[in-house]
Amino acid sequence: MPARVHDTRVIAREERAPGVMMVTIQAPALSAAVFPGQFVMAELPSGCAAAVALAIYDAYDDIVSLLFFITGPRTRELAALAAGDSLALLGPLGNGFDLRDAPADVAIAAGGVGIASVLLPARELVRRRSRVRLFYGARSAALLVERERFVQAGCEVTLATEDGSEGLRGYVTDALEASAPAKLLLACGPTPMLRAVAQIATRTRVPAQLCLEETFGCGVGGCWGCVVPVAATSPRAPRFPSNEAGISYARICREGPVFMAEELRW
Amino acid sequence: MVSAEDARDVDLSVRIGGLRLRYPTMMGSGCYGSGEEFARFADLARIGAIVLKSVTRLPRLGNPMPRIVHTPSGMLNAIGLQNPGIDWYLEHEIGKLAERPCAIIGSVAGFSVGEYVEVTQRLAERPEIDAIELNVSCPNVASEGETFACDSRATSEVVSAARAATRKPLIVKLSPNVTDITVIAREAESAGADALAVINTVRGMAIDVERARPRLGNVAGGLSGPAIRPIAVLAVYEAARAVRIPIIGQGGIASLSDALEFFLAGASAIGIGTANFTDPRVPERIVDGLAEHLAGQGARSISEIVGRANVGFADVHQYEGDAG
């Protein structure tokens, strides 16, 4: 089903950790249309700034849940939504993860709010009988929200915290690197983490799909505000002349947000 | 109570040179892609025109990231005119526009008069293009970008040359980053512009205080959104008093009331840009709202309210006692 504006209603809002919000919404058509790795643009109730791009954390029955960090005034406004409030969501948007192969052994790396993009692919892969290992890192134990949900979904979960308050002390990529290579790697998190994941993928020759985070303008490909350098030969490179180095800029919101690690030239 | 029939009878059409737009709403250049990106969410038959993203003679990769920073009631952008260049554009992109149910306005950017002329001429000769907007005011490209719209002689030169290159309606998009917009507006009019788009973005900057670095890859950017609306309303008010050609008012329009401000200030049509990022249904809501509002006022056409708020400028009274 094509993306469109969904006028939805908030059912629940919960602060899962300091500054980490879960907003649950009744949105049957949206829930039915979502692919793992897609996102929505959430319209601010005040309407006085651009909509906010949010990962679709979960979608089942007629429910969609959005998990996000409060990072500024716009996300603070969304965090103030209460049960019963209406919320316009544009979506689902973006290409999502390519899970057609569903190999036997899949590793998923999530850093911080990146966890919000990987529950749906994890669940889908488990359903298709892949072994799914989640490597989940955050600054501290309190920010490792929703880990039990991944255990329930059938994932093997390895945790890492930068302050050592839980799991391995260090980055999630340290935990990933210390483990046996999988057949497919999915990752979502801050750009430095994704770069590190891309390096691990190259070194271990594992194909990696990276879900990129960026500040969006329109979220639908109209403004070219969220680009990433890709090889001009990439299937996701826009049909566009490339520069002398064979690089083209792809829109994260439109050609992404999921890219193969090897097509990125960042 | 305004009936739906009354609202339907209101004439919202507007004329820009020889081009008649069914609705007085134009989607701002650089905000709406080629229309395809938004056609999934918005009814393009209910807007007046799409102003395409600017095209230059040669391909441009654009500025480094980050290109967008959200600011209070607004947004800074510094895309840097990323576009495939006119050759590629004519070969691969332009054909897709034929199916759009609204007017299509090509936007031309450049770094020399010759480049504006070449791109204007090649774009305008295509049947898919109904009019040309000269983007002489992009704030996001190194040095030369905004020079044209900030210098009355350069404005005059580039507009005259582009005028000679096409008979299609010619819109000149003006920069707010000038001392007196009326000077530039008059130059553009006498050089042959059919309409003025007022305003482009306002130059701005944001700094990441933790990293002590500019937030935009390009350092400086253009501010849009409700934050610049009062600046735009005044620019339209001033420009409308200075010229006779129609003005397309734009800058932070997100609602019916915002739109009305611009018409009352003297705009014949409005541009909607960043508000599409808030909700792609904004342009339709504004059109519906205008029809209803005008019907409620007993007006038959949008032209009846254009410039209605024009009361000149208030005299500055000095009290005698203050004189010394």
Side-chain angles (χ1 to χ4, degrees):
Chain A
M1 184 203 281
R4 63 174 174 86
V5 181
H6 300 265
D7 290 304
T8 71
R9 197 155 289 282
V10 174
I11 305 172
R13 161 202 175 271
E14 194 188 345
E15 187 162 13
R16 300 303 314 269
V20 185
M21 304 303 302
M22 173 91 80
V23 174
T24 306
I25 286 144
Q26 189 157 36
L30 179 62
S31 181
V34 172
F35 283 106
Q38 288 189 300
F39 66 94
V40 288
M41 296 298 289
E43 186 177 329
L44 297 178
S46 69
C48 72
V52 182
L54 296 177
I56 298 169
Y57 175 60
D58 202 356
Y60 55 91
D61 304 334
D62 59 349
I63 301 295
V64 165
S65 43
L66 307 169
L67 181 67
F68 59 95
F69 282 24
I70 299 174
T71 54
R74 295 185 313 140
T75 39
R76 196 170 304 125
E77 192 179 328
L78 287 176
L81 286 167
D85 286 351
S86 55
L87 176 64
L89 298 174
L90 179 63
L93 299 167
N95 62 354
F97 292 102
D98 181 355
L99 305 176
R100 283 172 297 184
D101 286 344
D105 184 8
V106 182
I108 299 179
V113 73
I115 197 70
S117 295
V118 298
L119 178 65
L120 289 175
R123 200 186 280 141
E124 172 64 12
L125 287 163
V126 168
R127 191 185 69 76
R128 297 174 60 184
R129 305 192 189 289
S130 298
R131 174 193 183 202
V132 179
R133 290 178 288 153
L134 173 73
F135 298 86
Y136 181 16
R139 284 199 308 280
S140 64
L143 295 173
L144 287 170
V145 296
E146 293 293 299
R147 47 193 143 155
E148 67 290 345
R149 186 88 75 111
F150 285 80
V151 176
Q152 285 162 14
C155 303
E156 298 165 35
V157 178
T158 304
L159 302 173
T161 52
E162 287 171 44
D163 65 2
S165 53
E166 187 151 2
L168 188 101
R169 176 193 287 267
Y171 291 120
V172 64
T173 43
D174 300 331
L176 179 67
E177 207 155 17
S179 71
K183 295 275 179 261
L184 172 66
L185 191 47
L186 310 182
C188 188
T191 304
M193 175 204 140
L194 295 181
R195 283 174 196 269
V197 169
Q199 282 166 8
I200 294 169
T202 309
R203 208 158 49 235
T204 54
R205 297 211 178 88
V206 175
Q209 298 181 20
L210 311 179
C211 185
L212 271 52
E213 284 182 5
E214 192 47 79
T215 303
F216 288 168
C218 68
V220 300
C223 77
W224 295 86
C226 62
V227 296
V228 64
V230 296
T233 51
S234 146
R236 264 177 287 272
R239 289 182 11 101
F240 225 67
S242 57
N243 70 359
E244 310 77 45
I247 286 172
S248 192
Y249 281 151
R251 296 164 292 189
I252 294 175
C253 71
R254 189 72 190 270
E255 281 79 44
V258 179
F259 292 87
M260 296 299 295
E262 74 255 16
E263 68 190 334
L264 296 171
R265 294 289 178 273
W266 46 359
Chain B
M1 185 65 197
V2 182
S3 77
E5 205 168 312
D6 292 339
R8 256 201 311 278
D9 286 345
V10 174
D11 179 11
L12 292 179
S13 72
V14 57
R15 208 164 258 292
I16 306 288
L19 174 65
R20 181 183 171 274
L21 303 180
R22 218 174 324 150
Y23 301 105
T25 47
M26 301 179 28
M27 303 304 107
S29 176
C31 300
Y32 216 67
S34 68
E36 175 270 329
E37 294 83 352
F38 281 89
R40 300 175 286 163
F41 320 113
D43 183 0
L44 302 188
R46 301 271 294 146
I47 62 175
I50 297 168
V51 187
L52 302 172
K53 184 162 174 58
S54 295
V55 183
T56 52
R57 190 158 62 83
L58 298 175
R60 289 179 56 87
L61 211 46
N63 288 328
M65 292 289 288
R67 292 176 170 187
I68 302 266
V69 175
H70 295 283
T71 59
S73 291
M75 200 186 93
L76 280 167
N77 86 81
I79 312 297
L81 296 175
Q82 177 169 353
N83 81 92
I86 187 68
D87 291 342
W88 178 284
Y89 196 79
L90 294 179
E91 194 174 334
H92 299 281
E93 303 283 333
I94 203 160
K96 301 173 200 162
L97 300 172
E99 59 213 50
R100 304 275 186 277
C102 57
I104 297 290
I105 299 172
S107 171
V108 176
F111 300 88
S112 68
V113 171
E115 187 178 350
Y116 275 104
V117 169
E118 182 191 333
V119 180
T120 296
Q121 195 246 321
R122 294 180 62 193
L123 204 50
E125 69 187 17
R126 293 292 302 239
E128 297 88 350
I129 299 294
D130 298 305
I132 294 288
E133 179 173 282
L134 291 182
N135 178 4
V136 289
S137 47
C138 177
N140 294 329
V141 287
S143 61
E144 315 95 304
E146 212 175 12
T147 313
F148 287 101
C150 294
D151 178 313
S152 58
R153 196 181 303 172
T155 300
S156 174
E157 206 183 332
V158 73
V159 175
S160 304
R163 175 73 290 168
T166 181
R167 287 180 175 187
K168 286 191 177 167
L170 190 63
I171 301 163
V172 180
K173 189 166 184 177
L174 300 187
S175 168
N177 307 309
V178 293
T179 312
D180 182 353
I181 201 164
T182 62
V183 175
I184 314 278
R186 282 195 204 96
E187 286 293 345
E189 179 182 44
S190 53
D194 292 302
L196 303 175
V198 179
I199 55 177
N200 206 323
T201 54
V202 178
R203 268 162 63 82
M205 179 178 184
I207 290 175
D208 180 335
V209 294
E210 274 166 32
R211 289 173 48 247
R213 285 286 175 280
R215 284 191 184 273
L216 286 169
N218 188 52
V219 180
L223 183 64
S224 64
I228 69 166
R229 194 188 311 132
I231 297 171
V233 171
L234 176 60
V236 167
Y237 188 89
E238 290 182 326
R241 291 166 48 81
V243 299
R244 286 156 171 260
I245 51 179
I247 290 184
I248 300 141
Q250 55 197 99
I253 297 175
S255 70
L256 168 64
S257 151
D258 303 342
L260 287 170
E261 275 199 74
F262 281 80
F263 287 111
L264 294 169
S268 299
I270 54 167
I272 303 172
T274 311
N276 287 298
F277 305 178
T278 304
D279 189 327
R281 298 172 297 186
V282 164
E284 277 171 67
R285 282 189 192 141
I286 289 178
V287 160
D288 291 342
L290 281 174
E292 226 172 280
H293 173 86
L294 292 169
Q297 304 248 307
R300 284 162 179 251
S301 88
I302 184 78
S303 61
E304 290 180 36
I305 66 162
V306 171
R308 276 263 297 277
N310 184 351
V311 292
F313 281 94
D315 292 328
V316 179
H317 296 288
Q318 276 196 334
Y319 289 106
E320 281 177 19
D322 290 342

